[in-house]
Each structure stands twice: as structure tokens, then as C-alpha cells.
Amino acid sequence: NREVIMPDGAIFKGRALRNVLTGFGTMLWPDHSTYEGHVKKGLMNGQGSKTWIVDETRQNQYKVYRGNWTNGKMEGQGELIMS
């Protein structure tokens, strides 16, 4: 497992082959969003869970998507939860 700092400031912890993120890992963005799940060619791909802060002034307001990702986008089966 490796720790890689992405161009957008996100920190990826997981597997990388020839400096390309792939497999299972976690990401943490500067805005405190997080992702845990599968990555392919550096993008969220397959099953995973992403959490976003909805209002930075109120850290307890967030949304979570758990489900399928394709090329970094929510796609297919999944559930979106708002707090």
C-alpha cells in the first residue's frame, strides 16, 4: 500500500501499479470529503462509499453515497443519505 498526494490535494492510501491508483483504497480531500472503496486508473470505480460535508460551517451536516461508481461518477445501484 502507498500514500499518494493527488493534484487536487486529495490523499490516496491504497494500491498503485506503476504510479496508477488501482484496487481498494481510501481518499481524503482538503474539504474533508472521504471515499473508501475500489479505484481503477485513479478514478472511483466499482463499489465504494463517499461522504461530503454539506455545510462547512456545520460539520454535522453531510451526505453519503454508498454504491456503484463508474469512471469517478455515481452510477447504477446505490443509496444517497442526507443528514
Side-chain angles (χ1 to χ4, degrees), residues 31-72:
D31 69 357
H32 304 289
S33 296
T34 61
Y35 174 77
E36 182 175 9
H38 293 275
V39 177
K40 183 178 179 182
K41 296 182 182 177
L43 298 172
M44 298 173 283
N45 211 69
Q47 289 294 308
S49 176
K50 185 169 182 182
T51 303
W52 297 264
I53 301 294
V54 175
D55 180 351
E56 289 191 31
T57 62
R58 300 176 73 189
Q59 294 279 326
N60 61 342
Q61 290 188 347
Y62 59 91
K63 62 182 176 180
V64 177
Y65 173 76
R66 294 184 189 116
N68 197 50
W69 296 82
T70 301
N71 297 323

Side-chain angles (χ1 to χ4, degrees), residues 1-2 5 9 12 20 26 28 30 39 47 62 64 76-77:
N1 281 348
R2 296 179 55 186
I5 298 175
F12 174 81
V20 177
T26 60
L28 172 63
V39 177
Q47 289 294 308
Y62 59 91
V64 177
Q77 291 281 7

